[in-house]
Structures are given as C-alpha cells and as structure tokens.
Amino acid sequence: MTECLHQRLGLPYAAGGQRLIDAHHHLWNLDSHRYPWLQDEVDPGFFLGDYAPLRRNYLPEDYLADSAGQRVLATVHCEAEHDRADQVAETRWIHEQHARYGFPNAVVAHVWFHRPECEEVLGRHLEYPLLRGIRSKPVTAPRPELAASVRGQSGSMQDEAWLRGFELLARHGLSWDLRVPYWHLQEAAEVAAAFPEVPIVLNHMGFPWDRSPAGLDGWRAGMAALAGQPNVSVKVSELGLRDQPWTLEGNRGVIEETLALFGIERCLFASNYPVAGLRIGYDELVTALQTILAGYDEAQRDGFFWRNSRDFYRIELDE
C-alpha cells in the first residue's frame, strides 16, 4: 500500500490510523490571496454561526497537524470561495502546494456557469493537471418555502445560460461538486438526469439542517431523487449544526439513511476541514464514522474511506 502523506514527508505518522482519501478539504493563505468571506465583514448567516476561528491562514502544515492521527493517502482540494475576480489564482496556488508537499492530489475549482466568461475561465483551469471537477454553486433560496421563487432566475439550475456552462463539464470530462441545501435537491436531480454523462457528487449530504420530522421528510425526498440518478455520489461530510455540538447519536440516523439510499459504493469520506473543525476534531470524526460503519465488511469500508474517492476523482496511487 502506498505511503501516507506524513510518511512521504518524513513526518511522524500513525501506523494504526485509518487509511483514507479526504475527498473534501480547504487550504487558504490570507497573506497572499483574497477570500472575502474570511477577510471582509463577517457573514451573520453562516450556517455554523460564529466562524471567527477560521479567519486565519490554513496551510498544508495545519492540515497535516489536524490529520496526523490518520493515514491520509491523498486529498481533494475544493474551492474555498477565493476572490471571484481571479478564480484561477486558487488553482495555481494549490498546484504550488502540491509541488512542495505532495498534496492536494485533485482540485475542484470554481467557474460561474452562467456568465459569458465561463468557457474562457474553465480553459485556464484546464491548463493545470490536477483539475478534476468544478464546484459552482447555483442560486438557491434561504428557506424551503422560498425555493420556488428562485426557480428560473439567472444562475439557477433552470437558467439556460447556466445549463450551457454546465454542459462544458461533459465536453471536458469533468465532474460537478453539487452544493445546495436540501430544499433544492430535487432540482439537482433534474440536472443529473439531463446530463447522465457528468459525474456528480453531492457535498455535505445536502445539509440536513432541519432535524424536525418535517425537515427530515423534505431532506429524504430530495436525497431519494438524487439517489435515483446513477451518476450521483455523495460526500458524507459536514454535519455540523448551528450553535449545536456534533454528536454521534445526533448524526448517526442521517448518515445511515444516506448509506442506505445511495449504497456505500457511492459514498465518500470527506472531512471539510478546517470548517468542520468548528464542531468536531479530525480523529473524532473518523472514529464516529468507523463506529457507524462497523456492520460493513472490510472491502466496503475501504471503499468508503478511500477507494470510492480515488475512482471518482481519478487519483493515481502507488498500491
């Protein structure tokens, strides 16, 4: 089996840690790059509440420290809302980190699908060899009862310009990282059905923020619609709730339902670090998922923790 990142860098490593590929994390350098949400006025609507601890550099050394208790084989960097005036700068910087540290090993970059410069910006991202996919957040409503009000707006998943930009993913063999709240999942399933050749991975389990019976019913309906599309996978990640602790028993139900709906072969481990660190430690997160997966066999657990991500993001490992 390939060495983990810490071994390759000559750092102490946890021989007994979980072998994994982290399918979703972020890095940022606020000294050299601009991230408005981290450097400008604080967003009071941030889904986890106070995020002051994130408003600092988060560099490869920081990720390596947080993940030192596990055997991280590779990672996927997902765009972190870098200044949209220079969307390719983040991709360039991540490649510089890979050259120095050997990770991240795949890049999910940002492009606005509905804007005229979409194809030109995408072409510049494609100059970088680790590019595997795009995360472009469509227009969404802040609450479930307002979901219909944004349907068809510019930048929504029904916007013809947005769909033309999305089609470029198929042309270039790229995947889409889907990030919407649960009240837009059924619309996303329509996109998945219209573009069956595009691999899609849902970020953060569709954000089951409302754990009331009605909220969970809405989430289940959206998840079932997406699970019915064979080109859709899901990242089991970011189950933090606003101003509430992350608990195993609080999150076990939605995780087990996700595994049942999609099948473990379409589920990927992802940390969403450092954001998830506002609620749970890296090792604590891995241990919680190991506990939930105890009833699966070794091959299924290996799939969840690393093989599914390797295959989805086309990561080369020396095995």
Side-chain angles (χ1 to χ4, degrees):
M1 171 57 62
T2 186
E3 292 181 328
C4 67
L5 298 180
H6 296 79
Q7 284 177 280
R8 296 201 296 269
L9 290 166
L11 299 172
Y13 69 96
Q18 174 65 53
R19 288 182 299 171
L20 63 87
I21 289 177
D22 191 339
H24 192 115
H25 75 92
H26 308 289
L27 301 171
W28 50 69
N29 187 335
L30 305 185
D31 297 328
S32 61
H33 289 69
R34 179 162 169 71
Y35 294 83
W37 70 287
L38 292 169
Q39 293 163 300
D40 294 351
E41 186 175 346
V42 171
D43 176 9
F46 187 71
F47 71 94
L48 289 175
D50 179 24
Y51 64 98
L54 299 180
R55 291 163 66 88
R56 60 176 178 85
N57 289 345
Y58 192 76
L59 302 173
E61 294 92 341
D62 300 301
Y63 179 84
L64 289 165
D66 284 332
S67 63
Q70 310 303 326
R71 293 171 60 193
V72 182
L73 307 178
T75 77
V76 179
H77 185 271
C78 192
E79 66 88 16
E81 299 195 11
H82 185 278
D83 182 4
R84 301 311 195 203
D86 190 358
Q87 298 166 77
V88 183
E90 185 178 47
T91 297
R92 181 185 311 116
W93 183 73
I94 293 301
H95 277 73
E96 291 169 358
Q97 307 318 299
H98 170 84
R100 180 175 177 184
Y101 296 93
F103 81 102
N105 310 89
V107 170
V108 177
H110 182 271
V111 176
W112 288 120
F113 289 145
H114 64 296
R115 295 192 179 174
E117 69 274 14
C118 174
E119 188 164 12
E120 183 269 330
V121 174
L122 182 60
R124 290 196 284 128
H125 280 304
L126 284 162
E127 295 174 6
Y128 292 89
L130 297 177
L131 184 74
R132 295 293 184 270
I134 296 295
R135 181 166 78 165
S136 187
K137 301 172 187 175
V139 170
T140 58
R143 299 190 303 278
E145 63 271 21
L146 299 177
S149 69
V150 303
R151 190 176 179 93
Q153 287 187 12
S154 176
S156 70
M157 288 182 279
Q158 299 78 36
D159 174 15
E160 290 186 5
W162 188 93
L163 291 166
R164 284 194 300 272
F166 186 93
E167 193 277 330
L168 294 172
L169 299 181
R171 190 182 309 175
H172 293 289
L174 298 172
S175 60
W176 182 39
D177 263 58
L178 161 64
R179 184 193 185 277
V180 295
Y182 71 84
W183 49 91
H184 288 285
L185 294 180
Q186 296 193 49
E187 298 170 50
E190 296 171 8
V191 175
F195 296 91
E197 69 277 29
V198 176
I200 297 171
V201 61
L202 174 64
N203 290 185
H204 313 328
M205 285 172 41
F207 289 123
W209 289 324
D210 182 354
R211 302 293 175 88
S212 71
L216 287 173
D217 283 347
W219 173 76
R220 288 187 192 105
M223 292 291 277
L226 270 181
Q229 303 304 318
N231 55 323
V232 181
S233 299
V234 58
K235 294 180 182 180
V236 176
S237 62
E238 194 44 80
L239 292 165
L241 299 174
R242 189 180 183 94
D243 303 323
Q244 295 183 40
W246 201 113
T247 67
L248 174 60
E249 292 312 313
N251 285 316
R252 180 193 288 271
V254 291
I255 293 172
E256 289 180 342
E257 287 193 51
T258 297
L259 292 165
L261 279 167
F262 283 83
I264 196 169
E265 69 279 359
R266 286 197 284 160
C267 293
L268 286 61
F269 167 79
S271 74
N272 197 35
Y273 250 64
V275 179
L278 293 172
R279 290 289 178 273
I280 188 168
Y282 203 107
D283 293 344
E284 184 184 1
L285 174 63
V286 171
T287 298
L289 291 168
Q290 288 172 325
T291 300
I292 291 170
L293 295 177
Y296 290 88
D297 64 34
E298 182 179 1
Q300 291 171 318
R301 294 194 302 270
D302 276 351
F304 174 85
F305 276 111
W306 66 274
R307 291 185 189 275
N308 299 346
S309 297
R310 177 200 62 184
D311 295 345
F312 186 91
Y313 285 111
R314 294 169 284 137
I315 296 172
E316 295 184 5
L317 293 178
D318 297 324
E319 296 182 43

